[in-house]
Amino acid sequence: MTSFVLRRIGFYVLICAITLFFAVPMLWIASAPFDASPGLGVHWPDWTLENFRKTLAHPYAMHSMVNSLLICVTTAVAVTAFAALASYALSRVRIPGRDALLYGLLLLSSVVTGTAAMVPIFVMMFQLGLIDSRFGVALVMTGGLLPAAIFILKDFVDAVPKSYEESARVFGASTLQILRDVVLPVARPGLATIMVWAFVNSWGNFLVPFLLIRSIDKQPGAVLMQTLTDEGGSVNLQVLPVFSLLFSIPVVVLYLLVNSRYGFRFHGGIKS
Amino acid sequence: MRPLSRLTTAGVLGAAALALLTGCLGSSGSGSSSGGQDANRNADAKKVELTFGSNSVKGGKSSAGATFISDVLIPKFVAEQKGKGVDVTVKFQGDGSDDEVYKQKLSLDLSNKSGPDLFQIDGIWVGEFAQADYIKPLTDTVGDAAKVDNWDGWQQIPEAVQALGSYNGKRYGVPGGTDGRVLYFNKKLFQQAGLPADWQPKSWDDIISAGQALKKISGVTPIQINAGTAMGEATTMQGVLPLLVGTGSEVNSDGKWLGNTAQLRQVLDFYHQVYSTGLGDPVLQKEAKGRDKSFAEFAANKIGILLESDYFWRSVVEPKEGVAKMADRDSAVGWAMIPAMKPGAGVKGQDFVSMSGGGATVINPNTKYPQQAWEFLQFMNSADMVKASLDGAAKITQRSDVNSEVLKSDPMLSFMAEKVLPITQYRPGRAEYPKVSAALQQATADVISGKSTAAAAAAYQKAVETAAGGKDKVTSN
Amino acid sequence: MASPSTPVRTAAPARGRAPARDVAGLGVGRALGFVAPALLLIGAFLIFPALWTIYIGVTNYRLTGVEAVSPSMVGLSNYTRALDDALFHNALWLTMLFVLGSAIIGQNVLGFTLAWVLRRARPAVRRTVEALTLLAWILPSTVVAYLWVAFYDRDGGTLNSLLGTPGTAWLIDYPMACLVVFNTWRGTAFSMMLYSSALQAVPPSQLESARMVGASGWQTLRDVVFPHIRGHVLTNTLLISLWTANDFSPFLLTKGGPNHESETVPVYIYNVALQGGELGYSSAISFLLLIANLLVSLVYLRLLRRRS
């Protein structure tokens, strides 16, 4: 009995410690936006909404959020759709060299998301006439995120029991019907998770939109955040915390939405 | 090994994709402009479109500059041109990021013969850009030497300031304003430490002894001289170079870069003296936001002496809009010229020294409208527009006529213009400079983290040889 | 309703876990059609730039200065330079520490612990902890960087207030430890989710019988749970290791400083490319990083094969 009690206590101490570990660093974003003299440290705020007024009055802050949404929704939808199709085909039909292909792509993606590829990406987009285009930015990001998305989704689709599709076929369902009515409902949580993952990853990307976009009114929030400084490069601590807070809202909302509708988990996915 | 052979498949597929894409690239053709262009192209166009690029943005970095260009300068220019019957549209392409990142982005555009028609760059980039053929001497771009050289604005811009937009003795652009560096000090702390309110050190030893007096006040960092790599160019400009010119040496003289010389070691010794004896805060120099913090600490009366440019006075401790406001700035902040190591030991035998920087506006050689771009450049640098760009604030501009008018009201800035600018030095606008600068920053980083001066200087020598491209391009003794 | 064309399933024999038969009646034609859009995008925006990067790596290309107009082929000298470059060695070493500390140990262990412990926790507790963990994962990296700069801050930072150690400059004195803790915080959610789903694959009856024979918690984990989730552990470790090795967010916290003490390879590549402008050299290092990734993956594939 005592051992049980001790174990319960141990359990809650562990849970509390982990909760604190994850929660404490987030305090800054809960206090600094409302603080009359925001600093880089966390302290009990001297409550004010002045920072919000300043941020809303910023000429590009709110508009950059719209740009971020345009770019990232496109990216997330494209990544999910193309990765779903590809991973389904790769899972159900044997293509020679499939695994090597997957690993090779996964490895390459690490090079291209880095700084070194900025020249090739820029020159290519320049030649394609996609400079200063939000669509172009979404394309580049999609290309960078697809390999990992396919890799994760394929294992996930592997886990969807094939007997479902077999029985559907026995009843004379067409491929599209099978996809729509059998595979999709089972795969939905996985797709939703990948979509959030793609959205989040493109939401924070600075270098790609920075290099490819020219007009300030097309820049997404991640780029705008870098400009919230003064002449000497000091951070604008009145606008930045509020903008950080507002900039985080869409990803959190998306997560909550997806989580409540489909569940945010791998649902027996990644099997290997 | 099977995995390897599979990866070969992936490689083959990749190569196929490459071949495919190269085909696409070839057919879409590259930049249309060729080498020898007619400088008078579109000179008589009635409808003109120009783009003006700058690393500034409304509501962010250099907000005032961006606001002025898009809300005042451009509309005025458009109106003026309309009077001449020309329908001009000027688009402002503002950025507002880290300078190095902006430079790479601009270079990507320029290397593809694209980019804004006019753009602002830092004076120390002029050499690199010129070497890469991204910019050309104004007389080449405009095509008519007399037209450029006879612009009356040049007479108002001091020779030394013109160097900001020049490379190898040729003018590539028109400089914007400039700045200067001094030692700021906190008069309240000085009073507590028994130091005079009109303090003017005559040598480095005077700075050290003032620091020792300030050290007795608890919770005060006596001296802040930027050091280390985290501060980047701020270390070079607000640290190494002002000290170096105080030893009589320059970072580049007669085409040779500074190596491991006695003067360099004197500078590093000074750093060692400040940061190993508790006169300076070595940790602050390593922090990513160390410079911001030094501002905040100065404003909070925790730093005694700080080497900074006039930007510090105008935009940091400025009582209303500054980033680290000091309500009592006018009475609490003092300033003094930076002394040479010993009287007369400075460059050109000077007793006092300073360093200055600034940017320039240049014309893209691939612009469709070179003549109109040159008109815009002149318009932008006319006395009226330069004055208007200040928007009532006091700031050192490129034009002497404007300076003498607007700086009167501000004692600090007129001190800067009258006393500091005549003795100041500029950085060499050469392509190797950024790397040499990085090596200097590294040397100070080594010293403050405990390396000996000799070891730091030896490592610097090696780095600067790589940066300069050979032993023969580096001085040493 | 077009019925599927002749199922092409005979070409490859069934092997291992791979589903051999074309159960959905997709057909090779349609399967290729499904893969095509993804492959096209990947080819254009990934493979092509990657090959180009490899090419730049054998030149002395820069974006400014003389080398911008006329870059010359320098053969493998960028690579020989890397072998001799103390800063690159330093970056490699730090990257290994970073991956080992924050991914292989930090995220893996914490992620598994969370998955294991939360399995039987009350739904409210479970949801709260999961939500916080996920929040750390989904917040934009620029925002997260500021959170942690504030957390570690020397004056008034949360950590110093909590520990009562005012004035300790964590990011200066212990930069790598700070980054390891940060990245564990940032990425644990992925491992947690993956292990949560993996643990569902462990038959409850086996856990029950382990308890009956009086196996300790550790024995149960080792003998019952681990054999079932071994594949997950490997996949998870591979993914998070690759992501961590290529992670750029350390730059946002420390910029690689102080004095290169936290300059991992991606940060070094960035500094070489942007601060130094040496694109040829930075491309060569990128390629070396790719090779390192490849080696790690091969080891992983080895381990995975030995299992099956």
Side-chain angles (χ1 to χ4, degrees), chain C residues 44-62:
Chain C
F45 299 111
L46 205 80
I47 298 178
F48 183 54
L51 293 177
W52 195 330
T53 308
I54 294 170
Y55 164 70
I56 294 177
V58 294
T59 67
N60 64 353
Y61 186 60
R62 294 173 62 95

Side-chain angles (χ1 to χ4, degrees), chain B residues 332-414:
Chain B
V333 180
W335 56 85
M337 283 197 281
I338 304 166
M341 188 170 74
K342 289 187 204 83
V347 72
K348 299 177 194 152
Q350 290 172 191
D351 295 336
F352 299 99
V353 290
S354 187
M355 289 298 300
S356 298
T361 309
V362 296
I363 300 178
N364 188 335
N366 290 301
T367 175
K368 269 191 193 161
Y369 305 101
Q371 302 307 320
Q372 292 87 340
W374 170 236
E375 285 206 21
F376 185 86
L377 201 51
Q378 295 172 75
F379 184 78
M380 176 182 176
N381 290 286
S382 63
D384 282 351
M385 280 300 114
V386 169
K387 205 158 47 176
S389 74
L390 299 173
D391 193 24
K395 199 177 161 183
I396 303 166
T397 73
Q398 63 273 40
R399 291 186 69 111
S400 310
D401 50 354
V402 177
N403 284 347
S404 57
E405 194 181 326
V406 298
L407 299 181
K408 274 183 304 205
S409 57
D410 189 304
M412 159 75 228
L413 293 175
S414 30

Side-chain angles (χ1 to χ4, degrees), chain A residues 40 88 91 116 124 166 169 270 272, chain C residues 19 23-24 44 117 150 232 235 286:
Chain A
L40 277 177
Y88 183 72
S91 167
M124 197 170 70
E166 272 164 25
R169 280 192 80 199
I270 303 196
S272 267
Chain C
V23 282
V117 167
H232 298 84
T235 310
S286 299

Side-chain angles (χ1 to χ4, degrees), chain B residues 422-441:
Chain B
I423 55 155
T424 193
Q425 300 293 313
Y426 287 83
R427 289 166 292 182
R430 288 171 180 265
E432 300 86 4
Y433 172 76
K435 284 202 272 183
V436 175
S437 172
L440 287 169
Q441 294 155 27

Side-chain angles (χ1 to χ4, degrees), chain B residues 154-230:
Chain B
W154 295 122
Q155 289 149 27
Q156 293 297 334
I157 306 176
E159 201 89 344
V161 178
Q162 285 189 29
L164 277 170
S166 306
Y167 177 66
N168 278 352
K170 288 188 174 147
R171 295 175 184 135
Y172 280 76
V174 179
T178 185
D179 61 6
R181 271 142 195 85
V182 292
L183 292 169
Y184 291 95
F185 58 94
N186 186 314
K187 288 186 188 167
K188 290 181 277 182
L189 296 175
F190 265 50
Q191 196 182 8
Q192 279 186 56
L195 292 162
D198 58 348
W199 182 64
Q200 174 57 65
K202 304 255 178 346
S203 67
W204 290 359
D205 287 342
D206 286 355
I207 303 178
I208 296 286
S209 56
Q212 277 155 352
L214 287 160
K215 201 179 160 189
K216 293 181 191 114
I217 314 172
S218 76
V220 166
T221 304
I223 302 172
Q224 167 63 31
I225 296 201
N226 293 350
T229 47

Side-chain angles (χ1 to χ4, degrees), chain A residues 52-208:
Chain A
F52 279 84
R53 201 189 55 72
K54 278 221 163 121
T55 309
L56 294 177
H58 187 282
Y60 306 108
M62 291 305 113
H63 201 72
S64 75
M65 219 75 95
V66 177
N67 292 328
S68 280
L69 278 174
L70 271 174
I71 292 172
C72 299
V73 167
T74 313
T75 307
V77 169
V79 168
T80 316
F82 294 146
L85 287 175
S87 57
Y88 183 72
L90 286 173
S91 167
R92 294 307 195 245
V93 179
R94 241 197 116 64
I95 295 174
R98 179 188 64 185
D99 289 354
L101 186 73
L102 280 172
Y103 284 112
L105 293 179
L106 194 61
L107 288 173
L108 279 181
S109 59
S110 62
V111 176
V112 170
T113 46
T115 337
M118 70 180 183
V119 176
I121 298 246
F122 178 87
V123 173
M124 197 170 70
M125 298 304 277
F126 184 83
Q127 299 287 0
L128 293 172
L130 286 173
I131 295 296
D132 206 22
S133 148
R134 283 163 288 198
F135 175 67
V137 173
L139 272 183
V140 173
M141 289 186 181
T142 306
L145 294 172
L146 265 174
I150 297 175
F151 189 87
I152 296 171
L153 267 184
K154 183 195 151 276
D155 265 347
F156 184 85
V157 179
D158 281 350
V160 176
K162 282 168 284 290
S163 53
Y164 290 10
E165 289 144 271
E166 272 164 25
S167 25
R169 280 192 80 199
V170 169
F171 287 108
S174 74
T175 306
L176 282 179
Q177 280 172 322
I178 293 178
L179 273 181
R180 198 184 56 214
D181 300 331
V182 180
V183 182
L184 192 65
V186 186
R188 208 173 271 158
L191 293 178
T193 308
I194 283 295
M195 190 143 109
V196 175
W197 174 84
F199 186 85
V200 166
N201 269 284
S202 49
W203 191 256
N205 192 319
F206 160 76
L207 201 61
V208 174

Side-chain angles (χ1 to χ4, degrees), chain B residues 57-177:
Chain B
V57 63
K58 275 193 208 177
K61 181 165 181 158
S62 307
S63 182
T67 311
F68 166 72
I69 295 170
S70 43
D71 294 358
V72 181
L73 178 63
I74 290 178
K76 288 235 161 121
F77 180 70
V78 169
E80 192 222 47
Q81 291 293 308
K82 196 162 225 167
K84 294 183 188 169
V86 185
D87 177 12
V88 186
T89 324
V90 186
K91 199 176 159 226
F92 177 65
Q93 187 177 299
D95 236 295
S97 284
D98 184 58
D99 282 344
E100 286 301 319
V101 186
Y102 170 73
K103 178 169 128 190
Q104 303 292 345
K105 178 179 181 175
L106 187 59
S107 306
L108 282 169
D109 268 339
L110 296 172
S111 66
N112 285 283
K113 306 212 180 301
S114 166
D117 300 293
L118 293 121
F119 47 88
Q120 293 179 316
I121 54 176
D122 194 314
I124 52 172
W125 301 348
V126 171
E128 293 172 67
F129 277 48
Q131 285 185 336
D133 286 340
Y134 293 161
I135 53 175
K136 297 214 159 75
L138 280 174
T139 48
D140 291 7
T141 310
V142 179
D144 182 348
K147 202 169 174 182
V148 173
D149 295 336
N150 293 343
W151 175 51
D152 57 5
W154 295 122
Q155 289 149 27
Q156 293 297 334
I157 306 176
E159 201 89 344
V161 178
Q162 285 189 29
L164 277 170
S166 306
Y167 177 66
N168 278 352
K170 288 188 174 147
R171 295 175 184 135
Y172 280 76
V174 179

